Amino acid sequence: MSITIYNSITKEKEAFTPLVENEVKMYVCGPTVYNYIHIGNARPAIVFDTVRRYFEYKGYKVNYVLNFTDVDDKIIAASNHTGEKIQDVTNRFIDAYLQDVKALGVKEATHHPRVTETMDEIIEFVAGLVDKDYAYEVDGDVYFKPRAFEGYGKLSAQSIDELRAGARIRVGENKHDPLDFALWKKAKEDEIAWDSPWGKGRPGWHIECSAMAKKYLGETIDIHAGGQDLTFPHHENEIAQSEALNEKTFANYWMHNGYMNIDNEKMSKSLGNFVLTKDLIAEYDPMVLRFFMLTVHYRNPINFTSELIKGAENSFDRIKTAYTNVEHRKKTSTNLDAYKDDWLEKIEQHEQQFQTAMEDDFNTANAITVLFDLAKDANVYLEQNQTNVEVLGAFSEKISHLLEVLGIQLKQETLLDDEIDALIEERNEARKVKNFARADEIRDLLKEKQIILEDTAQGVRWRRA
């Protein structure tokens, strides 16, 4: 059975055929780094990391690129607000992003390109579009002409006239058509800028991903992925400018994850109902958060409530408990051969069912159902008076391995007693000098490691949860 992917551009499931045998070139749109990421940003990080992991499980080499937008109006505003240099703002939030997603089990990308480190390629890309008459310059700004590109609107499934009806020319823009979009923006006074053939300026948003994808993956890539909200205009514009310049298909498969809702309302900053990932990680086991994200198919919307997270925690505990009980029984098990082969075959069938689920457009919800069935069979086997150590080993290995394919770790890194005591002492000293930020940071770290602190008259005591 081959892996099938729902391709957003054809609106159909298609068998995956890589450009190069046993290799996957995959580009995922990353964050604009001016603030901490919210749980909606964490969803594509988890979803497409899981896609990557499954390809690797199937023996593919994955060249996985996730970019950072590190120059942007919002970043400039954040820099002006705090008085920090732009690079200090972006470095801080890139570090925060990597810390958050690492806690959620996300592997580091093969490449994490930044806009500011890809400026030569971006300028060359824009110049190529001007030379081919797909773009034009007006007083230092450069605009792309969607009407010049046949097929504009094929990803969002809209005609160019329908798209134009919703487009507007903002104050200060000199573009010829409301649908034209900026490739290069003329520098404002005292604003970060780079030299270019059109004068000092900086890139538009859409051009950066086209240039970075080409630099690290080539003119045509296997998979381009991101949130559903990026379909138009961002991904539509990427297709137009990339295919206009390179005269080749930009991406063979487009994948988009569904929206995140908070208490049945679409999450948005305008509604003020967004939740920062770092706050959730401090409150919940990050593996439970990842498990929760994967209980819903990636293309469907997912609703976030504390009750649903608690339900996911209980469900995950069922699998963990089965695994723990199997590991415990191995210590006292025998080499009894009765029905051994039948059970080993049954365990292998679960893995085949897991593959069937994942190869149907990465249906993690059904894959998790297989894990529940596997845990249930493990519990049935444990009810026997005598058990075989090989069968028990197969159960524990299969449970942990299939969870690992989903990026979910059963065993958390634990702190040694001496390390805990040292952190508590550091926290006490931080509180004495009123460095409450560091004290809270240590408390959150210990909580993440399942260490419970108790303030008593005799001092701080701790215990493992």
Side-chain angles (χ1 to χ4, degrees), residues 387-454:
T387 51
N388 178 276
V389 69
E390 186 179 347
V391 173
L392 291 169
F395 268 120
S396 62
E397 188 278 333
K398 197 66 68 182
I399 291 171
S400 62
H401 181 53
L402 296 184
L403 281 171
E404 174 64 27
V405 174
L406 299 178
I408 299 169
Q409 298 283 347
L410 277 172
K411 297 178 181 178
Q412 290 187 319
E413 180 185 349
T414 58
L415 293 170
L416 300 175
D417 290 3
D418 288 347
E419 293 174 319
I420 296 169
D421 289 336
L423 283 168
I424 290 173
E425 181 60 31
E426 183 183 349
R427 178 173 177 264
N428 290 339
E429 291 300 317
R431 293 171 73 183
K432 285 179 184 177
V433 298
K434 300 189 184 307
N435 185 355
F436 298 115
R438 177 56 181 160
D440 290 345
E441 189 177 289
I442 294 170
R443 178 203 61 204
D444 293 341
L445 171 63
L446 291 170
K447 185 175 182 180
E448 181 185 326
K449 302 298 182 184
Q450 306 297 305
I451 307 300
I452 307 301
L453 300 184
E454 297 175 346

Side-chain angles (χ1 to χ4, degrees), residues 143-160:
Y143 296 100
F144 184 87
K145 301 185 291 185
R147 287 189 179 277
F149 176 72
E150 186 177 354
Y152 188 78
K154 59 186 176 181
L155 180 64
S156 52
Q158 299 179 78
S159 73
I160 198 161

Side-chain angles (χ1 to χ4, degrees), residues 309-407:
I309 290 294
K310 185 63 179 175
E313 183 176 35
N314 292 336
S315 296
F316 186 37
D317 281 344
R318 284 163 51 195
I319 298 173
K320 288 198 295 184
T321 299
Y323 174 84
T324 302
N325 289 342
V326 167
E327 286 287 282
H328 180 72
R329 178 69 70 86
K330 280 164 64 175
K331 299 173 185 177
T332 58
S333 185
T334 67
N335 290 317
L336 178 74
D337 284 336
Y339 307 113
K340 179 185 77 171
D341 292 340
D342 291 346
W343 279 104
L344 291 176
E345 182 179 348
K346 200 170 189 178
I347 292 167
E348 288 305 312
Q349 287 172 355
H350 284 299
E351 182 162 15
Q352 292 168 18
Q353 292 162 359
F354 177 90
Q355 291 177 1
T356 298
M358 290 297 289
E359 291 176 16
D360 181 15
D361 193 29
F362 305 97
N363 195 326
T364 55
N366 286 352
I368 286 174
T369 298
V370 174
L371 278 159
F372 284 135
D373 292 340
L374 180 60
K376 181 180 178 181
D377 274 354
N379 290 330
V380 169
Y381 186 71
L382 288 170
E383 290 175 0
Q384 298 184 169
N385 291 328
Q386 291 183 301
T387 51
N388 178 276
V389 69
E390 186 179 347
V391 173
L392 291 169
F395 268 120
S396 62
E397 188 278 333
K398 197 66 68 182
I399 291 171
S400 62
H401 181 53
L402 296 184
L403 281 171
E404 174 64 27
V405 174
L406 299 178

Side-chain angles (χ1 to χ4, degrees), residues 251-304:
N252 286 333
Y253 304 87
W254 286 85
M255 299 181 70
H256 293 92
N257 65 273
Y259 290 112
M260 171 73 68
N261 297 325
I262 304 291
D263 292 323
N264 295 307
E265 280 192 302
K266 182 182 173 184
M267 185 177 65
S268 72
K269 291 187 178 178
S270 61
L271 293 175
N273 65 344
F274 66 96
V275 184
L276 295 181
T277 302
K278 72 182 185 72
D279 294 336
L280 288 174
I281 289 171
E283 185 175 356
Y284 300 103
D285 177 354
M287 288 298 100
V288 169
L289 294 173
R290 185 174 180 119
F291 181 88
F292 165 72
M293 288 283 194
L294 298 180
T295 58
V296 175
H297 189 278
Y298 77 89
R299 286 193 286 117
N300 293 336
I302 187 169
N303 190 39
F304 179 92

Side-chain angles (χ1 to χ4, degrees), residues 26 46-55 223 255 362:
M26 186 170 180
I46 291 170
V47 162
F48 299 119
D49 175 72
T50 305
V51 170
R52 172 197 187 173
R53 285 173 177 272
Y54 190 76
F55 274 120
I223 298 172
M255 299 181 70
F362 305 97

